[in-house]
């Protein structure tokens, strides 16, 4: 035996080759991890649903207030510019539903190429973008939205509270319908004749679009 060699004991072998984790322990660890992920997903889902219920109630309160008939058109637009952005999105969805739009469920509100809503109406697919502007709208937003509508073969509905300049009108293309100012306030109409006039205008605009 070489002089520098040393005898190894069973304990040394245990130190060199640690025992493997039993399959039962691995399975238990994976189950615990899956359960934690499931609980996290459930809790997050409850928070999202609770937040959306709050936004829907807030949006309905805004609609009720603006339908009271106590404010002038400039006052109503000024009030809409102060509404919380996500509440304003829900508000537009509720108003479009009254016109017959079948709003599709959405799991996110921002970061989706400017798409705030999706719907079916008149047998066609619609994309909706809602902007709460205080001044002139950014024509780049309109141009990007028009491009998204063209790619997805959809009619675009660009709803905003600001002012529309010449550059924004030039960026509309034949894929997007613009709703602002007086047209936006007409969505709040509850009178059957006036509501029918709004629907007729929307139908006319839809016929000129290219999806």
């Amino acid at each position: 035996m070489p002089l520098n060699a040393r005898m190894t004991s069973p304990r040394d072998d245990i130190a060199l080759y640690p025992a493997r984790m039993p399959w039962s322990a691995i399975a238990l660890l994976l189950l615990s991890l899956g359960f934690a992920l499931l609980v996290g997903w459930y809790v997050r889902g409850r928070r999202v649903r609770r937040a959306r219920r709050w936004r829907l109630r807030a949006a309905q309160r805004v609609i009720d207030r603006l339908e009271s008939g106590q404010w002038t058109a400039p006052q109503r637009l000024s009030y809409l510019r102060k509404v919380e952005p996500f509440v304003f999105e829900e508000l537009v969805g509720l108003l479009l539903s009254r016109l017959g739009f079948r709003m599709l469920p959405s799991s996110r509100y921002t970061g989706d190429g400017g798409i705030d809503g999706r719907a079916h109406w008149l047998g066609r697919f619609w994309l909706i973008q809602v902007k709460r502007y205080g001044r002139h709208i950014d024509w780049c937003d309109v141009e990007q939205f028009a491009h998204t509508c063209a790619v997805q073969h959809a009619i675009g509905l660009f709803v905003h509270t600001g002012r529309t300049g010449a550059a924004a009108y030039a960026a509309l293309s034949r894929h997007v319908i613009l709703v602002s100012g007086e047209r936006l306030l007409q969505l709040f109409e509850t009178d059957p004749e006036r509501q029918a006039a709004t629907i007729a205008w929307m139908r006319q605009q839809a016929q000129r679009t290219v999806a």
Side-chain angles (χ1 to χ4, degrees), residues 130-208:
V130 179
K131 291 290 186 181
R132 195 199 51 156
Y133 289 108
R135 299 181 180 179
H136 282 82
I137 65 176
D138 189 344
W139 67 270
C140 293
D141 291 337
V142 180
E143 186 177 58
Q144 179 184 0
F145 181 59
H147 174 72
T148 302
C149 293
V151 170
Q152 300 194 28
H153 302 286
I155 302 177
L157 199 62
F158 193 97
V159 184
H160 72 91
T161 60
R163 300 175 180 85
T164 308
Y169 277 115
L172 275 177
S173 80
R174 295 187 62 191
H175 297 277
V176 178
I177 300 172
L178 192 68
V179 177
S180 63
E182 188 63 29
R183 289 294 182 188
L184 172 59
L185 295 180
Q186 288 175 359
L187 298 180
F188 290 87
E189 292 290 350
T190 56
D191 179 76
E193 292 186 3
R194 294 182 177 179
Q195 196 173 68
T198 300
I199 294 175
W201 178 81
M202 295 280 286
R203 285 177 176 271
Q204 182 182 14
Q205 295 300 307
Q207 290 174 356
R208 72 163 183 81

Side-chain angles (χ1 to χ4, degrees), residues 3-203:
L3 295 177
N4 58 354
R6 70 180 183 90
M7 298 293 292
T8 60
S9 65
R11 291 186 177 181
D12 293 331
D13 292 337
I14 294 176
L16 290 174
Y17 304 100
R20 294 181 178 180
M21 183 180 295
W23 285 109
S24 58
I26 295 176
L28 180 60
L29 180 62
L30 292 175
L31 285 174
S32 300
L33 180 60
F35 180 75
L37 292 174
L38 183 62
V39 170
W41 174 82
Y42 175 76
V43 171
R44 181 180 179 277
R46 286 193 61 183
R47 290 176 180 174
V48 170
R49 291 190 294 272
R50 188 184 304 117
R52 183 158 191 265
R53 285 195 298 268
W54 178 87
R55 286 192 293 266
L56 286 171
R57 288 194 297 267
Q60 188 59 55
R61 287 195 297 268
V62 173
I63 292 175
D64 294 339
R65 185 170 300 177
L66 293 183
E67 288 179 346
S68 63
Q70 299 176 356
W71 294 354
T72 63
Q75 288 175 332
R76 296 165 78 188
L77 285 173
S78 178
Y79 179 76
L80 284 175
R81 295 186 183 109
K82 300 175 183 178
V83 174
E84 199 271 337
F86 289 164
V87 172
F88 186 52
E89 292 180 14
E90 297 288 1
L91 179 150
V92 171
L94 291 175
L95 294 176
L96 293 177
S97 296
R98 297 198 313 194
L99 297 180
F101 280 75
R102 183 166 63 86
M103 304 302 296
L104 302 178
S106 177
S107 59
R108 54 190 307 183
Y109 285 84
T110 57
D112 195 15
I115 306 303
D116 299 313
R118 293 173 171 82
H120 285 293
W121 192 53
L122 303 177
R124 301 174 74 176
F125 178 54
W126 295 65
L127 296 179
I128 302 161
Q129 183 172 5
V130 179
K131 291 290 186 181
R132 195 199 51 156
Y133 289 108
R135 299 181 180 179
H136 282 82
I137 65 176
D138 189 344
W139 67 270
C140 293
D141 291 337
V142 180
E143 186 177 58
Q144 179 184 0
F145 181 59
H147 174 72
T148 302
C149 293
V151 170
Q152 300 194 28
H153 302 286
I155 302 177
L157 199 62
F158 193 97
V159 184
H160 72 91
T161 60
R163 300 175 180 85
T164 308
Y169 277 115
L172 275 177
S173 80
R174 295 187 62 191
H175 297 277
V176 178
I177 300 172
L178 192 68
V179 177
S180 63
E182 188 63 29
R183 289 294 182 188
L184 172 59
L185 295 180
Q186 288 175 359
L187 298 180
F188 290 87
E189 292 290 350
T190 56
D191 179 76
E193 292 186 3
R194 294 182 177 179
Q195 196 173 68
T198 300
I199 294 175
W201 178 81
M202 295 280 286
R203 285 177 176 271

